PDB file of all heavy atoms in Angstrom:
ATOM      1  N   ILE A  11     253.046 250.460 -36.701  1.00 96.00           N
ATOM      2  CA  ILE A  11     252.355 250.566 -37.991  1.00 96.00           C
ATOM      3  C   ILE A  11     251.571 251.861 -38.062  1.00 96.00           C
ATOM      4  O   ILE A  11     251.206 252.460 -37.043  1.00 96.00           O
ATOM      5  CB  ILE A  11     251.392 249.377 -38.240  1.00 96.00           C
ATOM      6  CG1 ILE A  11     250.236 249.399 -37.232  1.00 96.00           C
ATOM      7  CG2 ILE A  11     252.133 248.054 -38.225  1.00 96.00           C
ATOM      8  CD1 ILE A  11     249.111 248.428 -37.582  1.00 96.00           C
ATOM      9  N   LEU A  33     250.355 239.393 -36.214  1.00 96.00           N
ATOM     10  CA  LEU A  33     249.006 239.718 -36.714  1.00 96.00           C
ATOM     11  C   LEU A  33     248.918 239.486 -38.216  1.00 96.00           C
ATOM     12  O   LEU A  33     249.858 239.753 -38.965  1.00 96.00           O
ATOM     13  CB  LEU A  33     248.660 241.176 -36.414  1.00 96.00           C
ATOM     14  CG  LEU A  33     248.197 241.526 -34.999  1.00 96.00           C
ATOM     15  CD1 LEU A  33     247.781 242.989 -34.944  1.00 96.00           C
ATOM     16  CD2 LEU A  33     247.050 240.636 -34.534  1.00 96.00           C
ATOM     17  N   ASN A  43     238.424 248.062 -36.737  1.00 96.00           N
ATOM     18  CA  ASN A  43     237.040 248.120 -36.275  1.00 96.00           C
ATOM     19  C   ASN A  43     236.941 248.681 -34.860  1.00 96.00           C
ATOM     20  O   ASN A  43     236.001 249.421 -34.542  1.00 96.00           O
ATOM     21  CB  ASN A  43     236.407 246.731 -36.345  1.00 96.00           C
ATOM     22  CG  ASN A  43     235.910 246.382 -37.741  1.00 96.00           C
ATOM     23  OD1 ASN A  43     234.901 246.894 -38.208  1.00 96.00           O
ATOM     24  ND2 ASN A  43     236.648 245.511 -38.424  1.00 96.00           N
ATOM     25  N   PHE A  56     244.504 244.536 -46.470  1.00 95.00           N
ATOM     26  CA  PHE A  56     245.600 245.447 -46.176  1.00 95.00           C
ATOM     27  C   PHE A  56     246.677 245.325 -47.247  1.00 95.00           C
ATOM     28  O   PHE A  56     247.041 244.219 -47.656  1.00 95.00           O
ATOM     29  CB  PHE A  56     246.184 245.137 -44.794  1.00 95.00           C
ATOM     30  CG  PHE A  56     245.221 245.409 -43.676  1.00 95.00           C
ATOM     31  CD1 PHE A  56     244.236 244.481 -43.364  1.00 95.00           C
ATOM     32  CD2 PHE A  56     245.260 246.596 -42.964  1.00 95.00           C
ATOM     33  CE1 PHE A  56     243.319 244.729 -42.350  1.00 95.00           C
ATOM     34  CE2 PHE A  56     244.346 246.855 -41.950  1.00 95.00           C
ATOM     35  CZ  PHE A  56     243.373 245.924 -41.649  1.00 95.00           C
ATOM     36  N   LEU A  91     233.988 240.449 -51.334  1.00 83.00           N
ATOM     37  CA  LEU A  91     233.772 239.016 -51.228  1.00 83.00           C
ATOM     38  C   LEU A  91     234.200 238.326 -52.520  1.00 83.00           C
ATOM     39  O   LEU A  91     234.098 238.900 -53.599  1.00 83.00           O
ATOM     40  CB  LEU A  91     232.298 238.717 -50.935  1.00 83.00           C
ATOM     41  CG  LEU A  91     231.767 239.250 -49.606  1.00 83.00           C
ATOM     42  CD1 LEU A  91     230.271 238.984 -49.490  1.00 83.00           C
ATOM     43  CD2 LEU A  91     232.505 238.620 -48.435  1.00 83.00           C
ATOM     44  N   ASN A 129     218.429 234.970 -71.024  1.00 95.00           N
ATOM     45  CA  ASN A 129     217.918 235.749 -69.903  1.00 95.00           C
ATOM     46  C   ASN A 129     218.397 235.127 -68.599  1.00 95.00           C
ATOM     47  O   ASN A 129     219.044 234.066 -68.586  1.00 95.00           O
ATOM     48  CB  ASN A 129     216.389 235.869 -69.943  1.00 95.00           C
ATOM     49  CG  ASN A 129     215.688 234.517 -69.855  1.00 95.00           C
ATOM     50  OD1 ASN A 129     216.199 233.553 -69.260  1.00 95.00           O
ATOM     51  ND2 ASN A 129     214.492 234.429 -70.433  1.00 95.00           N
ATOM     52  N   SER A 226     220.562 249.938 -99.237  1.00 88.00           N
ATOM     53  CA  SER A 226     221.865 249.289 -99.193  1.00 88.00           C
ATOM     54  C   SER A 226     222.950 250.216 -99.741  1.00 88.00           C
ATOM     55  O   SER A 226     222.724 250.940-100.717  1.00 88.00           O
ATOM     56  CB  SER A 226     221.828 247.994-100.010  1.00 88.00           C
ATOM     57  OG  SER A 226     222.988 247.238 -99.790  1.00 88.00           O
ATOM     58  N   GLY A 262     247.512 251.728 -89.884  1.00 96.00           N
ATOM     59  CA  GLY A 262     248.702 251.997 -89.090  1.00 96.00           C
ATOM     60  C   GLY A 262     249.277 250.744 -88.463  1.00 96.00           C
ATOM     61  O   GLY A 262     250.491 250.586 -88.377  1.00 96.00           O
ATOM     62  N   VAL A 264     250.543 247.007 -88.070  1.00 96.00           N
ATOM     63  CA  VAL A 264     251.224 246.053 -88.943  1.00 96.00           C
ATOM     64  C   VAL A 264     250.819 244.654 -88.479  1.00 96.00           C
ATOM     65  O   VAL A 264     251.234 244.194 -87.425  1.00 96.00           O
ATOM     66  CB  VAL A 264     252.755 246.207 -88.863  1.00 96.00           C
ATOM     67  CG1 VAL A 264     253.435 245.187 -89.770  1.00 96.00           C
ATOM     68  CG2 VAL A 264     253.165 247.624 -89.220  1.00 96.00           C
ATOM     69  N   GLY A 324     245.550 242.710 -72.254  1.00 98.00           N
ATOM     70  CA  GLY A 324     245.907 241.329 -71.991  1.00 98.00           C
ATOM     71  C   GLY A 324     246.881 240.845 -73.041  1.00 98.00           C
ATOM     72  O   GLY A 324     246.771 241.209 -74.222  1.00 98.00           O
ATOM     73  N   SER A 369     240.550 239.785 -65.305  1.00 98.00           N
ATOM     74  CA  SER A 369     241.224 239.236 -66.484  1.00 98.00           C
ATOM     75  C   SER A 369     240.863 237.760 -66.615  1.00 98.00           C
ATOM     76  O   SER A 369     240.688 237.055 -65.630  1.00 98.00           O
ATOM     77  CB  SER A 369     242.743 239.399 -66.371  1.00 98.00           C
ATOM     78  OG  SER A 369     243.237 238.780 -65.186  1.00 98.00           O
TER      79      SER A 369
END
Side-chain angles (χ1 to χ4, degrees):
I11 66 169
L33 281 185
N43 278 286
F56 294 81
L91 297 175
N129 61 29
S226 191
V264 179
S369 57

